[in-house]
Amino acid sequence: QKEVEQDPGPLSVPEGAIVSLNCTYSNSAFQYFMWYRQYSRKGPELLMYTYSSGNKEDGRFTAQVDKSSKYISLFIRDSQPSDSATYLCAMGRGGSEKLVFGKGMKLTVNP
Amino acid sequence: NAGVTQTPKFQVLKTGQSMTLQCAQDMNHNSMYWYRQDPGMGLRLIYYSASEGTTDKGEVPNGYNVSRLNKREFSLRLESAAPSQTSVYFCASSEGSGQETQYFGPGTRLLVL
């Protein structure tokens, strides 16, 4: 079983839709969770950071972590064409600098 | 602040040639990383440097060497390039305290013929 699983998609939605992106993981030692956004031919950029369980909201973006189910989600409200990108989840253990990444989900928001 | 910079942006090599990918960060970060990204495989860690003077293997180190030249710079060397090393290479850095985010460079696209 891979440490981090992410459906690679692709996912195509109309503008204004609510988007839900998810990752599951197997290692209960993961303590901090991130979502990166990667535009085509660019490097990944940090979108959301969450430590331990709970929700975090930033504008149209909400990150959720459910450690009991080993499941994290990223919700995008009122999606825009500018949200079209690949979204990667990433997780880290306490005391380790290394992150484990999901394979990324390609999202297209159609005008 | 430029953040993380990488050179070159794009390179074509013939099988057996060597080259060095350069990376520099201006955020005074302790830790630096080299990843490769391939379709369907996601980001895979090649090597990392937790602090100046140390380097460690990641998930896919074979065929690569690294040098942490100083706190700012971390280079990746391909001694004898193979077509399987065709990929997009990303350098990243982080503060190094163990729970912080990584910041990525713009990437180097490498084609090995």
Side-chain angles (χ1 to χ4, degrees), chain A residues 32 36 38 41 49 96-97, chain B residues 33 37 40 98-99 102 109:
Chain A
Y32 53 108
Y36 282 82
Q38 185 177 19
R41 295 182 171 264
Y49 175 98
S96 171
E97 296 86 1
Chain B
Y33 313 81
Q37 188 176 42
Q99 293 181 356
Q102 293 181 16
R109 308 184 83 85

Side-chain angles (χ1 to χ4, degrees), chain B residues 57-99:
Chain B
K57 294 178 181 179
E59 183 184 354
V60 288
N62 290 345
Y64 305 95
N65 285 300
V66 290
S67 295
R68 184 72 183 268
L69 304 169
N70 47 56
K71 191 171 185 179
R72 289 188 63 248
E73 299 172 287
F74 189 38
S75 63
L76 178 72
R77 183 159 178 85
L78 287 70
E79 291 291 352
S80 179
S84 61
Q85 294 178 304
T86 293
S87 187
V88 182
Y89 292 85
F90 289 102
C91 177
S93 71
S94 67
E95 288 184 8
S97 61
Q99 293 181 356

